[in-house]
mmCIF file of all heavy atoms in Angstrom:
data_model
loop_
_atom_site.group_PDB
_atom_site.id
_atom_site.type_symbol
_atom_site.label_atom_id
_atom_site.label_comp_id
_atom_site.label_asym_id
_atom_site.label_seq_id
_atom_site.Cartn_x
_atom_site.Cartn_y
_atom_site.Cartn_z
ATOM 1 N N GLY J 162 -13.987 -14.692 -28.973
ATOM 2 C CA GLY J 162 -15.223 -14.048 -28.494
ATOM 3 C C GLY J 162 -15.082 -13.558 -27.071
ATOM 4 O O GLY J 162 -15.502 -12.449 -26.730
ATOM 5 N N VAL J 163 -14.469 -14.393 -26.243
ATOM 6 C CA VAL J 163 -14.246 -14.006 -24.849
ATOM 7 C C VAL J 163 -13.343 -12.771 -24.781
ATOM 8 O O VAL J 163 -13.603 -11.823 -24.033
ATOM 9 C CB VAL J 163 -13.598 -15.174 -24.068
ATOM 10 C CG1 VAL J 163 -12.998 -14.699 -22.760
ATOM 11 C CG2 VAL J 163 -14.628 -16.269 -23.806
ATOM 12 N N MET J 164 -12.295 -12.768 -25.583
ATOM 13 C CA MET J 164 -11.360 -11.644 -25.575
ATOM 14 C C MET J 164 -12.070 -10.332 -25.924
ATOM 15 O O MET J 164 -11.899 -9.314 -25.247
ATOM 16 C CB MET J 164 -10.237 -11.901 -26.594
ATOM 17 C CG MET J 164 -9.191 -10.799 -26.644
ATOM 18 S SD MET J 164 -8.074 -10.953 -28.052
ATOM 19 C CE MET J 164 -7.130 -12.407 -27.611
ATOM 20 N N GLN J 165 -12.892 -10.377 -26.951
ATOM 21 C CA GLN J 165 -13.557 -9.140 -27.370
ATOM 22 C C GLN J 165 -14.653 -8.739 -26.388
ATOM 23 O O GLN J 165 -14.839 -7.547 -26.107
ATOM 24 C CB GLN J 165 -14.109 -9.296 -28.791
ATOM 25 C CG GLN J 165 -12.998 -9.336 -29.823
ATOM 26 C CD GLN J 165 -13.512 -9.537 -31.237
ATOM 27 O OE1 GLN J 165 -14.175 -8.688 -31.799
ATOM 28 N NE2 GLN J 165 -13.219 -10.693 -31.822
ATOM 29 N N ALA J 166 -15.367 -9.729 -25.876
ATOM 30 C CA ALA J 166 -16.411 -9.403 -24.895
ATOM 31 C C ALA J 166 -15.789 -8.754 -23.663
ATOM 32 O O ALA J 166 -16.315 -7.776 -23.115
ATOM 33 C CB ALA J 166 -17.189 -10.663 -24.511
ATOM 34 N N ARG J 167 -14.651 -9.294 -23.240
ATOM 35 C CA ARG J 167 -13.969 -8.730 -22.078
ATOM 36 C C ARG J 167 -13.481 -7.321 -22.355
ATOM 37 O O ARG J 167 -13.612 -6.430 -21.508
ATOM 38 C CB ARG J 167 -12.765 -9.609 -21.732
ATOM 39 C CG ARG J 167 -12.908 -10.333 -20.439
ATOM 40 C CD ARG J 167 -11.674 -11.140 -20.141
ATOM 41 N NE ARG J 167 -10.518 -10.339 -19.817
ATOM 42 C CZ ARG J 167 -9.330 -10.844 -19.459
ATOM 43 N NH1 ARG J 167 -9.180 -12.150 -19.400
ATOM 44 N NH2 ARG J 167 -8.339 -10.059 -19.167
ATOM 45 N N THR J 168 -12.906 -7.137 -23.531
ATOM 46 C CA THR J 168 -12.328 -5.824 -23.851
ATOM 47 C C THR J 168 -13.415 -4.759 -23.935
ATOM 48 O O THR J 168 -13.224 -3.632 -23.481
ATOM 49 C CB THR J 168 -11.550 -5.900 -25.177
ATOM 50 O OG1 THR J 168 -10.536 -6.894 -25.049
ATOM 51 C CG2 THR J 168 -10.913 -4.567 -25.506
ATOM 52 N N HIS J 169 -14.545 -5.125 -24.515
ATOM 53 C CA HIS J 169 -15.641 -4.156 -24.654
ATOM 54 C C HIS J 169 -16.596 -4.188 -23.468
ATOM 55 O O HIS J 169 -17.533 -3.398 -23.428
ATOM 56 C CB HIS J 169 -16.419 -4.414 -25.939
ATOM 57 C CG HIS J 169 -15.671 -4.091 -27.200
ATOM 58 N ND1 HIS J 169 -14.905 -5.020 -27.873
ATOM 59 C CD2 HIS J 169 -15.537 -2.936 -27.904
ATOM 60 C CE1 HIS J 169 -14.356 -4.440 -28.952
ATOM 61 N NE2 HIS J 169 -14.724 -3.185 -28.977
ATOM 62 N N ARG J 170 -16.356 -5.093 -22.551
ATOM 63 C CA ARG J 170 -17.296 -5.291 -21.435
ATOM 64 C C ARG J 170 -18.728 -5.416 -21.956
ATOM 65 O O ARG J 170 -19.627 -4.692 -21.527
ATOM 66 C CB ARG J 170 -17.230 -4.113 -20.435
ATOM 67 C CG ARG J 170 -15.935 -4.003 -19.670
ATOM 68 C CD ARG J 170 -15.845 -5.044 -18.557
ATOM 69 N NE ARG J 170 -14.507 -5.632 -18.549
ATOM 70 C CZ ARG J 170 -13.549 -5.392 -17.657
ATOM 71 N NH1 ARG J 170 -13.784 -4.613 -16.650
ATOM 72 N NH2 ARG J 170 -12.381 -5.952 -17.745
ATOM 73 N N ASP J 171 -18.891 -6.320 -22.918
ATOM 74 C CA ASP J 171 -20.184 -6.437 -23.605
ATOM 75 C C ASP J 171 -20.286 -7.837 -24.195
ATOM 76 O O ASP J 171 -19.565 -8.178 -25.130
ATOM 77 C CB ASP J 171 -20.242 -5.360 -24.705
ATOM 78 C CG ASP J 171 -21.545 -5.388 -25.486
ATOM 79 O OD1 ASP J 171 -22.344 -6.326 -25.297
ATOM 80 O OD2 ASP J 171 -21.762 -4.459 -26.286
ATOM 81 N N VAL J 172 -21.218 -8.649 -23.628
ATOM 82 C CA VAL J 172 -21.362 -10.038 -24.108
ATOM 83 C C VAL J 172 -21.717 -10.126 -25.555
ATOM 84 O O VAL J 172 -21.526 -11.171 -26.162
ATOM 85 C CB VAL J 172 -22.498 -10.824 -23.431
ATOM 86 C CG1 VAL J 172 -22.036 -12.188 -22.986
ATOM 87 C CG2 VAL J 172 -23.244 -10.048 -22.424
ATOM 88 N N SER J 173 -22.323 -9.090 -26.118
ATOM 89 C CA SER J 173 -22.833 -9.212 -27.480
ATOM 90 C C SER J 173 -21.698 -9.531 -28.453
ATOM 91 O O SER J 173 -21.935 -10.131 -29.498
ATOM 92 C CB SER J 173 -23.570 -7.944 -27.890
ATOM 93 O OG SER J 173 -22.664 -6.895 -28.133
ATOM 94 N N TYR J 174 -20.466 -9.152 -28.101
ATOM 95 C CA TYR J 174 -19.347 -9.512 -28.963
ATOM 96 C C TYR J 174 -19.149 -11.020 -28.992
ATOM 97 O O TYR J 174 -18.821 -11.603 -30.035
ATOM 98 C CB TYR J 174 -18.061 -8.804 -28.502
ATOM 99 C CG TYR J 174 -18.047 -7.334 -28.864
ATOM 100 C CD1 TYR J 174 -18.735 -6.402 -28.102
ATOM 101 C CD2 TYR J 174 -17.357 -6.891 -29.979
ATOM 102 C CE1 TYR J 174 -18.739 -5.062 -28.435
ATOM 103 C CE2 TYR J 174 -17.349 -5.549 -30.327
ATOM 104 C CZ TYR J 174 -18.044 -4.636 -29.554
ATOM 105 O OH TYR J 174 -18.046 -3.321 -29.898
ATOM 106 N N PHE J 175 -19.359 -11.647 -27.842
ATOM 107 C CA PHE J 175 -19.296 -13.109 -27.790
ATOM 108 C C PHE J 175 -20.462 -13.708 -28.577
ATOM 109 O O PHE J 175 -20.278 -14.611 -29.391
ATOM 110 C CB PHE J 175 -19.345 -13.570 -26.330
ATOM 111 C CG PHE J 175 -19.191 -15.045 -26.129
ATOM 112 C CD1 PHE J 175 -17.940 -15.645 -26.105
ATOM 113 C CD2 PHE J 175 -20.308 -15.846 -25.931
ATOM 114 C CE1 PHE J 175 -17.796 -17.009 -25.911
ATOM 115 C CE2 PHE J 175 -20.182 -17.214 -25.731
ATOM 116 C CZ PHE J 175 -18.914 -17.800 -25.714
ATOM 117 N N ASP J 176 -21.624 -13.164 -28.360
ATOM 118 C CA ASP J 176 -22.830 -13.695 -29.016
ATOM 119 C C ASP J 176 -22.721 -13.648 -30.538
ATOM 120 O O ASP J 176 -23.118 -14.585 -31.227
ATOM 121 C CB ASP J 176 -24.061 -12.899 -28.560
ATOM 122 C CG ASP J 176 -24.380 -13.140 -27.089
ATOM 123 O OD1 ASP J 176 -23.971 -14.192 -26.561
ATOM 124 O OD2 ASP J 176 -25.030 -12.270 -26.479
ATOM 125 N N ARG J 177 -22.187 -12.535 -31.042
ATOM 126 C CA ARG J 177 -22.069 -12.432 -32.504
ATOM 127 C C ARG J 177 -21.093 -13.468 -33.058
ATOM 128 O O ARG J 177 -21.299 -14.008 -34.146
ATOM 129 C CB ARG J 177 -21.645 -11.012 -32.909
ATOM 130 C CG ARG J 177 -22.806 -10.028 -32.897
ATOM 131 C CD ARG J 177 -22.418 -8.703 -33.544
ATOM 132 N NE ARG J 177 -21.503 -7.947 -32.711
ATOM 133 C CZ ARG J 177 -21.866 -7.137 -31.732
ATOM 134 N NH1 ARG J 177 -23.157 -6.979 -31.437
ATOM 135 N NH2 ARG J 177 -20.968 -6.479 -31.038
ATOM 136 N N GLY J 178 -20.053 -13.762 -32.295
ATOM 137 C CA GLY J 178 -19.120 -14.803 -32.721
ATOM 138 C C GLY J 178 -19.803 -16.152 -32.792
ATOM 139 O O GLY J 178 -19.626 -16.907 -33.759
ATOM 140 N N ILE J 179 -20.604 -16.451 -31.771
ATOM 141 C CA ILE J 179 -21.326 -17.729 -31.768
ATOM 142 C C ILE J 179 -22.321 -17.783 -32.916
ATOM 143 O O ILE J 179 -22.495 -18.830 -33.556
ATOM 144 C CB ILE J 179 -22.056 -17.929 -30.414
ATOM 145 C CG1 ILE J 179 -21.072 -17.819 -29.251
ATOM 146 C CG2 ILE J 179 -22.777 -19.265 -30.384
ATOM 147 C CD1 ILE J 179 -19.868 -18.709 -29.359
ATOM 148 N N ALA J 180 -22.976 -16.656 -33.181
ATOM 149 C CA ALA J 180 -23.940 -16.626 -34.281
ATOM 150 C C ALA J 180 -23.251 -16.922 -35.614
ATOM 151 O O ALA J 180 -23.784 -17.636 -36.470
ATOM 152 C CB ALA J 180 -24.631 -15.262 -34.332
ATOM 153 N N GLN J 181 -22.055 -16.373 -35.787
ATOM 154 C CA GLN J 181 -21.289 -16.664 -37.010
ATOM 155 C C GLN J 181 -20.974 -18.153 -37.105
ATOM 156 O O GLN J 181 -21.068 -18.757 -38.177
ATOM 157 C CB GLN J 181 -19.974 -15.865 -37.005
ATOM 158 C CG GLN J 181 -20.144 -14.382 -37.228
ATOM 159 C CD GLN J 181 -20.661 -14.057 -38.611
ATOM 160 O OE1 GLN J 181 -20.148 -14.537 -39.606
ATOM 161 N NE2 GLN J 181 -21.714 -13.270 -38.672
ATOM 162 N N LEU J 182 -20.610 -18.726 -35.963
ATOM 163 C CA LEU J 182 -20.285 -20.154 -35.960
ATOM 164 C C LEU J 182 -21.525 -20.978 -36.290
ATOM 165 O O LEU J 182 -21.442 -21.979 -37.013
ATOM 166 C CB LEU J 182 -19.743 -20.553 -34.585
ATOM 167 C CG LEU J 182 -19.105 -21.926 -34.504
ATOM 168 C CD1 LEU J 182 -17.834 -21.988 -35.342
ATOM 169 C CD2 LEU J 182 -18.775 -22.280 -33.050
ATOM 170 N N ARG J 183 -22.660 -20.544 -35.792
ATOM 171 C CA ARG J 183 -23.916 -21.245 -36.095
ATOM 172 C C ARG J 183 -24.200 -21.175 -37.599
ATOM 173 O O ARG J 183 -24.571 -22.177 -38.213
ATOM 174 C CB ARG J 183 -25.047 -20.592 -35.297
ATOM 175 C CG ARG J 183 -26.401 -21.196 -35.502
ATOM 176 C CD ARG J 183 -26.476 -22.619 -34.995
ATOM 177 N NE ARG J 183 -26.816 -22.742 -33.573
ATOM 178 C CZ ARG J 183 -27.072 -23.907 -32.978
ATOM 179 N NH1 ARG J 183 -27.037 -25.051 -33.675
ATOM 180 N NH2 ARG J 183 -27.337 -23.948 -31.690
ATOM 181 N N THR J 184 -23.997 -20.019 -38.175
ATOM 182 C CA THR J 184 -24.150 -19.876 -39.626
ATOM 183 C C THR J 184 -23.233 -20.847 -40.352
ATOM 184 O O THR J 184 -23.631 -21.515 -41.319
ATOM 185 C CB THR J 184 -23.796 -18.433 -40.062
ATOM 186 O OG1 THR J 184 -24.645 -17.523 -39.381
ATOM 187 C CG2 THR J 184 -23.946 -18.260 -41.565
ATOM 188 N N HIS J 185 -21.990 -20.923 -39.873
ATOM 189 C CA HIS J 185 -21.021 -21.824 -40.491
ATOM 190 C C HIS J 185 -21.522 -23.266 -40.444
ATOM 191 O O HIS J 185 -21.462 -23.985 -41.444
ATOM 192 C CB HIS J 185 -19.683 -21.682 -39.755
ATOM 193 C CG HIS J 185 -18.557 -22.426 -40.408
ATOM 194 N ND1 HIS J 185 -18.122 -22.148 -41.683
ATOM 195 C CD2 HIS J 185 -17.755 -23.426 -39.955
ATOM 196 C CE1 HIS J 185 -17.109 -22.946 -41.987
ATOM 197 N NE2 HIS J 185 -16.865 -23.741 -40.962
ATOM 198 N N PHE J 186 -22.042 -23.669 -39.291
ATOM 199 C CA PHE J 186 -22.545 -25.046 -39.186
ATOM 200 C C PHE J 186 -23.763 -25.263 -40.083
ATOM 201 O O PHE J 186 -23.908 -26.335 -40.688
ATOM 202 C CB PHE J 186 -22.876 -25.373 -37.726
ATOM 203 C CG PHE J 186 -21.740 -26.032 -37.012
ATOM 204 C CD1 PHE J 186 -20.785 -25.282 -36.345
ATOM 205 C CD2 PHE J 186 -21.583 -27.416 -37.034
ATOM 206 C CE1 PHE J 186 -19.714 -25.884 -35.696
ATOM 207 C CE2 PHE J 186 -20.520 -28.035 -36.385
ATOM 208 C CZ PHE J 186 -19.583 -27.268 -35.722
ATOM 209 N N ASP J 187 -24.628 -24.263 -40.154
ATOM 210 C CA ASP J 187 -25.794 -24.394 -41.035
ATOM 211 C C ASP J 187 -25.346 -24.600 -42.480
ATOM 212 O O ASP J 187 -25.876 -25.452 -43.198
ATOM 213 C CB ASP J 187 -26.664 -23.141 -40.920
ATOM 214 C CG ASP J 187 -27.385 -23.065 -39.569
ATOM 215 O OD1 ASP J 187 -27.402 -24.094 -38.855
ATOM 216 O OD2 ASP J 187 -27.907 -21.992 -39.224
ATOM 217 N N LEU J 188 -24.354 -23.797 -42.885
ATOM 218 C CA LEU J 188 -23.867 -23.906 -44.262
ATOM 219 C C LEU J 188 -23.215 -25.263 -44.498
ATOM 220 O O LEU J 188 -23.404 -25.887 -45.552
ATOM 221 C CB LEU J 188 -22.864 -22.777 -44.561
ATOM 222 C CG LEU J 188 -23.442 -21.368 -44.655
ATOM 223 C CD1 LEU J 188 -22.322 -20.316 -44.694
ATOM 224 C CD2 LEU J 188 -24.337 -21.226 -45.889
ATOM 225 N N LEU J 189 -22.461 -25.735 -43.515
ATOM 226 C CA LEU J 189 -21.810 -27.046 -43.647
ATOM 227 C C LEU J 189 -22.857 -28.152 -43.781
ATOM 228 O O LEU J 189 -22.733 -29.051 -44.632
ATOM 229 C CB LEU J 189 -20.921 -27.332 -42.431
ATOM 230 C CG LEU J 189 -19.565 -26.638 -42.365
ATOM 231 C CD1 LEU J 189 -18.867 -26.953 -41.044
ATOM 232 C CD2 LEU J 189 -18.672 -27.056 -43.537
ATOM 233 N N GLN J 190 -23.895 -28.074 -42.953
ATOM 234 C CA GLN J 190 -24.913 -29.130 -42.988
ATOM 235 C C GLN J 190 -25.708 -29.070 -44.300
ATOM 236 O O GLN J 190 -26.076 -30.103 -44.848
ATOM 237 C CB GLN J 190 -25.838 -29.012 -41.773
ATOM 238 C CG GLN J 190 -25.117 -29.424 -40.486
ATOM 239 C CD GLN J 190 -25.967 -29.240 -39.234
ATOM 240 O OE1 GLN J 190 -25.937 -28.195 -38.611
ATOM 241 N NE2 GLN J 190 -26.709 -30.264 -38.882
ATOM 242 N N LYS J 191 -25.929 -27.862 -44.782
ATOM 243 C CA LYS J 191 -26.625 -27.720 -46.059
ATOM 244 C C LYS J 191 -25.780 -28.295 -47.198
ATOM 245 O O LYS J 191 -26.267 -28.993 -48.080
ATOM 246 C CB LYS J 191 -26.933 -26.232 -46.312
ATOM 247 C CG LYS J 191 -28.034 -26.020 -47.344
ATOM 248 C CD LYS J 191 -28.338 -24.542 -47.533
ATOM 249 C CE LYS J 191 -29.070 -23.951 -46.340
ATOM 250 N NZ LYS J 191 -29.367 -22.511 -46.528
ATOM 251 N N ALA J 192 -24.467 -27.994 -47.135
ATOM 252 C CA ALA J 192 -23.568 -28.509 -48.168
ATOM 253 C C ALA J 192 -23.526 -30.036 -48.131
ATOM 254 O O ALA J 192 -23.471 -30.696 -49.188
ATOM 255 C CB ALA J 192 -22.175 -27.942 -47.973
ATOM 256 N N ALA J 193 -23.556 -30.583 -46.926
ATOM 257 C CA ALA J 193 -23.535 -32.044 -46.805
ATOM 258 C C ALA J 193 -24.796 -32.652 -47.393
ATOM 259 O O ALA J 193 -24.753 -33.688 -48.082
ATOM 260 C CB ALA J 193 -23.388 -32.435 -45.334
#
Side-chain angles (χ1 to χ4, degrees):
Chain J
V163 164
M164 181 191 290
Q165 289 178 67
R167 248 182 70 177
T168 302
H169 290 91
R170 293 284 136 106
D171 180 352
V172 227
S173 73
Y174 285 80
F175 184 82
D176 292 337
R177 281 190 289 275
I179 305 307
Q181 289 294 310
L182 192 66
R183 180 65 87 172
T184 301
H185 188 61
F186 266 90
D187 289 347
L188 290 170
L189 282 176
Q190 289 176 269
K191 199 178 288 180

